Amino acid sequence: MPLIHVLNGPNLNLLGQRQPEIYGRETLADVEALCREAAAPHQIRFLQSNWEGQIVDWIHEARHEAAAIVINPAALTHTSVAVLDALMAFEGPVIEVHLSQVHKREPFRHHSYVSKRADGVIAGLGIEGYAAALRRIVQLLG
């Protein structure tokens, strides 16, 4: 079965602690468990970093080892041309996920560099957005 990368950006390691009224009370470990279940029978590589360069490196690695990427770039969504450029070099499907409904939030959150490459964008479903993204990826991969 093809490998799927699930990449998480800055501050997602604080899920359940940071602004639970916006991001929910579930932890990143809860997200990972949900992702593993939703991706079955595919394997996932579930990663989180607060460093833009690390996210870029993982996208580069995905070019050689993954069939698809689900990415929650967090704040890098709105700032990182580097993440966009790395994703443009990835040939498989990419789905962008956001826990909150970004279009109901501050205006700077309405713009996403990543969306210019993403084959789908899911926002506002909480951690269930990851499951929806992975179900779609599994469909696309057959």
Side-chain angles (χ1 to χ4, degrees):
M1 287 291 155
L3 179 67
I4 302 166
H5 278 205
V6 180
L7 305 178
N8 297 279
N11 299 309
L12 289 168
N13 56 305
L14 298 178
L15 279 180
Q17 303 165 40
R18 177 180 167 252
Q19 297 178 286
E21 68 280 3
I22 295 174
Y23 301 110
R25 300 207 179 277
E26 297 91 352
T27 67
L28 195 60
D30 297 328
V31 174
E32 182 174 4
L34 178 69
C35 286
R36 291 194 183 285
E37 181 180 322
H42 298 275
Q43 295 294 313
I44 66 168
R45 184 171 180 210
F46 190 90
L47 302 162
Q48 186 278 327
S49 180
N50 294 318
W51 299 94
E52 178 180 34
Q54 180 63 76
I55 302 289
V56 169
D57 285 346
W58 286 333
I59 295 167
H60 291 181
E61 290 171 16
R63 293 180 64 225
H64 305 288
E65 64 185 35
I69 295 174
V70 171
I71 185 168
N72 181 344
L76 297 174
T77 302
H78 324 292
T79 63
S80 184
V81 174
V83 170
L84 170 62
D85 286 349
L87 288 169
M88 294 300 280
F90 180 76
E91 294 183 5
V94 174
I95 298 187
E96 177 183 354
V97 174
H98 299 284
L99 297 165
S100 68
Q101 175 30 311
V102 293
H103 299 290
K104 285 186 162 185
R105 298 188 62 200
E106 304 92 335
F108 76 87
R109 296 186 193 275
H110 300 176
H111 176 265
S112 169
Y113 284 103
V114 173
S115 292
K116 295 188 181 317
R117 167 57 182 89
D119 298 296
V121 179
I122 299 170
L125 300 182
I127 70 170
E128 288 300 319
Y130 284 88
L134 283 160
R135 284 192 298 271
R136 179 62 180 146
I137 291 289
V138 168
Q139 260 184 338
L140 291 171
L141 296 178

mmCIF file of all heavy atoms in Angstrom, residues 100-127:
data_model
loop_
_atom_site.group_PDB
_atom_site.id
_atom_site.type_symbol
_atom_site.label_atom_id
_atom_site.label_comp_id
_atom_site.label_asym_id
_atom_site.label_seq_id
_atom_site.Cartn_x
_atom_site.Cartn_y
_atom_site.Cartn_z
ATOM 1 N N SER A 100 -9.835 25.106 12.270
ATOM 2 C CA SER A 100 -10.837 26.161 12.414
ATOM 3 C C SER A 100 -11.326 26.611 11.035
ATOM 4 O O SER A 100 -10.698 26.326 10.013
ATOM 5 C CB SER A 100 -10.239 27.360 13.169
ATOM 6 O OG SER A 100 -9.246 27.990 12.394
ATOM 7 N N GLN A 101 -12.424 27.335 11.040
ATOM 8 C CA GLN A 101 -12.959 27.913 9.810
ATOM 9 C C GLN A 101 -12.219 29.240 9.597
ATOM 10 O O GLN A 101 -12.600 30.279 10.119
ATOM 11 C CB GLN A 101 -14.471 28.103 9.926
ATOM 12 C CG GLN A 101 -15.224 28.790 8.813
ATOM 13 C CD GLN A 101 -14.711 28.672 7.412
ATOM 14 O OE1 GLN A 101 -13.538 28.885 7.129
ATOM 15 N NE2 GLN A 101 -15.596 28.368 6.497
ATOM 16 N N VAL A 102 -11.131 29.169 8.857
ATOM 17 C CA VAL A 102 -10.223 30.307 8.713
ATOM 18 C C VAL A 102 -10.896 31.533 8.105
ATOM 19 O O VAL A 102 -10.481 32.662 8.377
ATOM 20 C CB VAL A 102 -8.960 29.923 7.907
ATOM 21 C CG1 VAL A 102 -8.108 28.930 8.687
ATOM 22 C CG2 VAL A 102 -9.318 29.372 6.532
ATOM 23 N N HIS A 103 -11.936 31.347 7.331
ATOM 24 C CA HIS A 103 -12.595 32.477 6.673
ATOM 25 C C HIS A 103 -13.524 33.246 7.607
ATOM 26 O O HIS A 103 -14.012 34.309 7.236
ATOM 27 C CB HIS A 103 -13.314 32.003 5.413
ATOM 28 C CG HIS A 103 -12.358 31.418 4.427
ATOM 29 N ND1 HIS A 103 -11.449 32.172 3.729
ATOM 30 C CD2 HIS A 103 -12.112 30.140 4.082
ATOM 31 C CE1 HIS A 103 -10.705 31.388 2.972
ATOM 32 N NE2 HIS A 103 -11.085 30.147 3.168
ATOM 33 N N LYS A 104 -13.721 32.738 8.808
ATOM 34 C CA LYS A 104 -14.482 33.456 9.831
ATOM 35 C C LYS A 104 -13.550 34.137 10.827
ATOM 36 O O LYS A 104 -13.999 34.709 11.801
ATOM 37 C CB LYS A 104 -15.399 32.499 10.593
ATOM 38 C CG LYS A 104 -16.614 32.073 9.832
ATOM 39 C CD LYS A 104 -17.505 31.250 10.746
ATOM 40 C CE LYS A 104 -18.892 31.177 10.185
ATOM 41 N NZ LYS A 104 -19.787 30.491 11.123
ATOM 42 N N ARG A 105 -12.272 34.067 10.559
ATOM 43 C CA ARG A 105 -11.270 34.593 11.484
ATOM 44 C C ARG A 105 -10.631 35.863 10.923
ATOM 45 O O ARG A 105 -11.160 36.466 9.995
ATOM 46 C CB ARG A 105 -10.259 33.503 11.790
ATOM 47 C CG ARG A 105 -10.952 32.296 12.486
ATOM 48 C CD ARG A 105 -10.014 31.277 12.971
ATOM 49 N NE ARG A 105 -9.112 31.836 13.981
ATOM 50 C CZ ARG A 105 -7.956 31.278 14.306
ATOM 51 N NH1 ARG A 105 -7.566 30.155 13.713
ATOM 52 N NH2 ARG A 105 -7.192 31.816 15.229
ATOM 53 N N GLU A 106 -9.494 36.236 11.461
ATOM 54 C CA GLU A 106 -8.828 37.462 11.061
ATOM 55 C C GLU A 106 -8.555 37.465 9.556
ATOM 56 O O GLU A 106 -8.265 36.422 8.981
ATOM 57 C CB GLU A 106 -7.485 37.613 11.802
ATOM 58 C CG GLU A 106 -7.598 37.581 13.308
ATOM 59 C CD GLU A 106 -7.426 36.182 13.901
ATOM 60 O OE1 GLU A 106 -7.676 35.164 13.204
ATOM 61 O OE2 GLU A 106 -7.052 36.105 15.076
ATOM 62 N N PRO A 107 -8.617 38.643 8.935
ATOM 63 C CA PRO A 107 -8.433 38.713 7.477
ATOM 64 C C PRO A 107 -7.128 38.098 6.965
ATOM 65 O O PRO A 107 -7.115 37.511 5.884
ATOM 66 C CB PRO A 107 -8.486 40.218 7.181
ATOM 67 C CG PRO A 107 -9.345 40.771 8.278
ATOM 68 C CD PRO A 107 -9.016 39.938 9.504
ATOM 69 N N PHE A 108 -6.034 38.200 7.723
ATOM 70 C CA PHE A 108 -4.776 37.626 7.221
ATOM 71 C C PHE A 108 -4.861 36.122 7.072
ATOM 72 O O PHE A 108 -4.107 35.527 6.303
ATOM 73 C CB PHE A 108 -3.578 38.023 8.099
ATOM 74 C CG PHE A 108 -3.471 37.287 9.411
ATOM 75 C CD1 PHE A 108 -2.817 36.067 9.498
ATOM 76 C CD2 PHE A 108 -4.018 37.820 10.572
ATOM 77 C CE1 PHE A 108 -2.710 35.389 10.700
ATOM 78 C CE2 PHE A 108 -3.910 37.148 11.783
ATOM 79 C CZ PHE A 108 -3.262 35.931 11.847
ATOM 80 N N ARG A 109 -5.784 35.473 7.785
ATOM 81 C CA ARG A 109 -5.930 34.020 7.688
ATOM 82 C C ARG A 109 -6.735 33.591 6.447
ATOM 83 O O ARG A 109 -6.854 32.406 6.165
ATOM 84 C CB ARG A 109 -6.597 33.464 8.941
ATOM 85 C CG ARG A 109 -5.768 33.655 10.190
ATOM 86 C CD ARG A 109 -6.404 32.946 11.374
ATOM 87 N NE ARG A 109 -5.815 33.364 12.615
ATOM 88 C CZ ARG A 109 -4.707 32.852 13.151
ATOM 89 N NH1 ARG A 109 -4.072 31.878 12.530
ATOM 90 N NH2 ARG A 109 -4.235 33.310 14.291
ATOM 91 N N HIS A 110 -7.292 34.534 5.727
ATOM 92 C CA HIS A 110 -8.100 34.204 4.555
ATOM 93 C C HIS A 110 -7.243 33.832 3.348
ATOM 94 O O HIS A 110 -7.750 33.258 2.395
ATOM 95 C CB HIS A 110 -9.012 35.368 4.181
ATOM 96 C CG HIS A 110 -9.961 35.743 5.266
ATOM 97 N ND1 HIS A 110 -10.815 36.805 5.167
ATOM 98 C CD2 HIS A 110 -10.177 35.211 6.501
ATOM 99 C CE1 HIS A 110 -11.518 36.914 6.275
ATOM 100 N NE2 HIS A 110 -11.154 35.959 7.096
ATOM 101 N N HIS A 111 -5.969 34.175 3.367
ATOM 102 C CA HIS A 111 -5.079 33.884 2.248
ATOM 103 C C HIS A 111 -4.232 32.651 2.547
ATOM 104 O O HIS A 111 -3.663 32.528 3.624
ATOM 105 C CB HIS A 111 -4.149 35.070 1.975
ATOM 106 C CG HIS A 111 -3.164 34.754 0.896
ATOM 107 N ND1 HIS A 111 -1.893 34.300 1.156
ATOM 108 C CD2 HIS A 111 -3.279 34.782 -0.450
ATOM 109 C CE1 HIS A 111 -1.266 34.081 0.023
ATOM 110 N NE2 HIS A 111 -2.074 34.365 -0.965
ATOM 111 N N SER A 112 -4.155 31.756 1.581
ATOM 112 C CA SER A 112 -3.330 30.558 1.717
ATOM 113 C C SER A 112 -2.453 30.394 0.494
ATOM 114 O O SER A 112 -2.951 30.266 -0.631
ATOM 115 C CB SER A 112 -4.203 29.316 1.864
ATOM 116 O OG SER A 112 -3.417 28.145 1.733
ATOM 117 N N TYR A 113 -1.139 30.368 0.720
ATOM 118 C CA TYR A 113 -0.223 30.011 -0.355
ATOM 119 C C TYR A 113 -0.416 28.545 -0.745
ATOM 120 O O TYR A 113 -0.383 28.187 -1.921
ATOM 121 C CB TYR A 113 1.233 30.244 0.059
ATOM 122 C CG TYR A 113 1.635 31.698 0.038
ATOM 123 C CD1 TYR A 113 1.739 32.427 1.209
ATOM 124 C CD2 TYR A 113 1.905 32.338 -1.164
ATOM 125 C CE1 TYR A 113 2.102 33.763 1.180
ATOM 126 C CE2 TYR A 113 2.269 33.668 -1.198
ATOM 127 C CZ TYR A 113 2.367 34.385 -0.022
ATOM 128 O OH TYR A 113 2.723 35.702 -0.045
ATOM 129 N N VAL A 114 -0.615 27.690 0.249
ATOM 130 C CA VAL A 114 -0.723 26.245 0.031
ATOM 131 C C VAL A 114 -1.897 25.894 -0.871
ATOM 132 O O VAL A 114 -1.826 24.971 -1.680
ATOM 133 C CB VAL A 114 -0.794 25.513 1.386
ATOM 134 C CG1 VAL A 114 -1.070 24.030 1.212
ATOM 135 C CG2 VAL A 114 0.498 25.733 2.163
ATOM 136 N N SER A 115 -2.992 26.657 -0.771
ATOM 137 C CA SER A 115 -4.178 26.374 -1.581
ATOM 138 C C SER A 115 -3.901 26.442 -3.076
ATOM 139 O O SER A 115 -4.614 25.822 -3.865
ATOM 140 C CB SER A 115 -5.310 27.343 -1.235
ATOM 141 O OG SER A 115 -5.785 27.098 0.062
ATOM 142 N N LYS A 116 -2.868 27.172 -3.458
ATOM 143 C CA LYS A 116 -2.529 27.265 -4.874
ATOM 144 C C LYS A 116 -2.047 25.924 -5.425
ATOM 145 O O LYS A 116 -2.079 25.703 -6.630
ATOM 146 C CB LYS A 116 -1.483 28.349 -5.101
ATOM 147 C CG LYS A 116 -2.018 29.724 -4.765
ATOM 148 C CD LYS A 116 -1.079 30.822 -5.153
ATOM 149 C CE LYS A 116 -1.612 32.195 -4.784
ATOM 150 N NZ LYS A 116 -3.005 32.427 -5.052
ATOM 151 N N ARG A 117 -1.639 25.009 -4.551
ATOM 152 C CA ARG A 117 -1.205 23.672 -4.978
ATOM 153 C C ARG A 117 -2.175 22.582 -4.556
ATOM 154 O O ARG A 117 -2.260 21.527 -5.182
ATOM 155 C CB ARG A 117 0.190 23.378 -4.405
ATOM 156 C CG ARG A 117 0.651 21.922 -4.500
ATOM 157 C CD ARG A 117 0.636 21.404 -5.945
ATOM 158 N NE ARG A 117 1.031 20.026 -6.044
ATOM 159 C CZ ARG A 117 0.194 18.977 -5.958
ATOM 160 N NH1 ARG A 117 -1.093 19.151 -5.747
ATOM 161 N NH2 ARG A 117 0.652 17.755 -6.084
ATOM 162 N N ALA A 118 -2.917 22.819 -3.502
ATOM 163 C CA ALA A 118 -3.767 21.766 -2.929
ATOM 164 C C ALA A 118 -4.852 21.327 -3.912
ATOM 165 O O ALA A 118 -5.436 22.139 -4.629
ATOM 166 C CB ALA A 118 -4.406 22.263 -1.633
ATOM 167 N N ASP A 119 -5.100 20.026 -3.912
ATOM 168 C CA ASP A 119 -6.191 19.466 -4.707
ATOM 169 C C ASP A 119 -7.521 19.562 -3.981
ATOM 170 O O ASP A 119 -8.576 19.365 -4.586
ATOM 171 C CB ASP A 119 -5.870 17.997 -5.031
ATOM 172 C CG ASP A 119 -4.602 17.890 -5.847
ATOM 173 O OD1 ASP A 119 -4.586 18.398 -6.977
ATOM 174 O OD2 ASP A 119 -3.609 17.326 -5.340
ATOM 175 N N GLY A 120 -7.478 19.855 -2.696
ATOM 176 C CA GLY A 120 -8.666 20.064 -1.888
ATOM 177 C C GLY A 120 -8.280 20.795 -0.628
ATOM 178 O O GLY A 120 -7.141 20.713 -0.176
ATOM 179 N N VAL A 121 -9.238 21.534 -0.074
ATOM 180 C CA VAL A 121 -9.029 22.275 1.172
ATOM 181 C C VAL A 121 -10.200 21.986 2.090
ATOM 182 O O VAL A 121 -11.358 22.100 1.679
ATOM 183 C CB VAL A 121 -8.932 23.794 0.918
ATOM 184 C CG1 VAL A 121 -8.741 24.554 2.223
ATOM 185 C CG2 VAL A 121 -7.817 24.112 -0.059
ATOM 186 N N ILE A 122 -9.893 21.618 3.331
ATOM 187 C CA ILE A 122 -10.925 21.344 4.334
ATOM 188 C C ILE A 122 -10.656 22.258 5.521
ATOM 189 O O ILE A 122 -9.556 22.252 6.065
ATOM 190 C CB ILE A 122 -10.904 19.871 4.769
ATOM 191 C CG1 ILE A 122 -11.180 18.964 3.568
ATOM 192 C CG2 ILE A 122 -11.905 19.625 5.895
ATOM 193 C CD1 ILE A 122 -10.962 17.495 3.820
ATOM 194 N N ALA A 123 -11.654 23.031 5.896
ATOM 195 C CA ALA A 123 -11.494 23.961 7.019
ATOM 196 C C ALA A 123 -12.754 23.947 7.879
ATOM 197 O O ALA A 123 -13.862 23.866 7.359
ATOM 198 C CB ALA A 123 -11.236 25.374 6.513
ATOM 199 N N GLY A 124 -12.543 24.023 9.194
ATOM 200 C CA GLY A 124 -13.659 24.195 10.108
ATOM 201 C C GLY A 124 -14.304 22.931 10.630
ATOM 202 O O GLY A 124 -15.300 23.004 11.339
ATOM 203 N N LEU A 125 -13.748 21.768 10.330
ATOM 204 C CA LEU A 125 -14.332 20.513 10.796
ATOM 205 C C LEU A 125 -13.627 19.964 12.032
ATOM 206 O O LEU A 125 -13.880 18.820 12.421
ATOM 207 C CB LEU A 125 -14.299 19.455 9.695
ATOM 208 C CG LEU A 125 -15.054 19.764 8.404
ATOM 209 C CD1 LEU A 125 -14.965 18.588 7.445
ATOM 210 C CD2 LEU A 125 -16.500 20.123 8.684
ATOM 211 N N GLY A 126 -12.721 20.750 12.623
ATOM 212 C CA GLY A 126 -11.945 20.233 13.737
ATOM 213 C C GLY A 126 -11.082 19.082 13.261
ATOM 214 O O GLY A 126 -10.709 19.015 12.088
ATOM 215 N N ILE A 127 -10.787 18.154 14.175
ATOM 216 C CA ILE A 127 -9.908 17.050 13.775
ATOM 217 C C ILE A 127 -10.562 16.123 12.754
ATOM 218 O O ILE A 127 -9.877 15.396 12.045
ATOM 219 C CB ILE A 127 -9.334 16.266 14.972
ATOM 220 C CG1 ILE A 127 -10.384 15.441 15.687
ATOM 221 C CG2 ILE A 127 -8.610 17.194 15.926
ATOM 222 C CD1 ILE A 127 -9.784 14.469 16.716
#
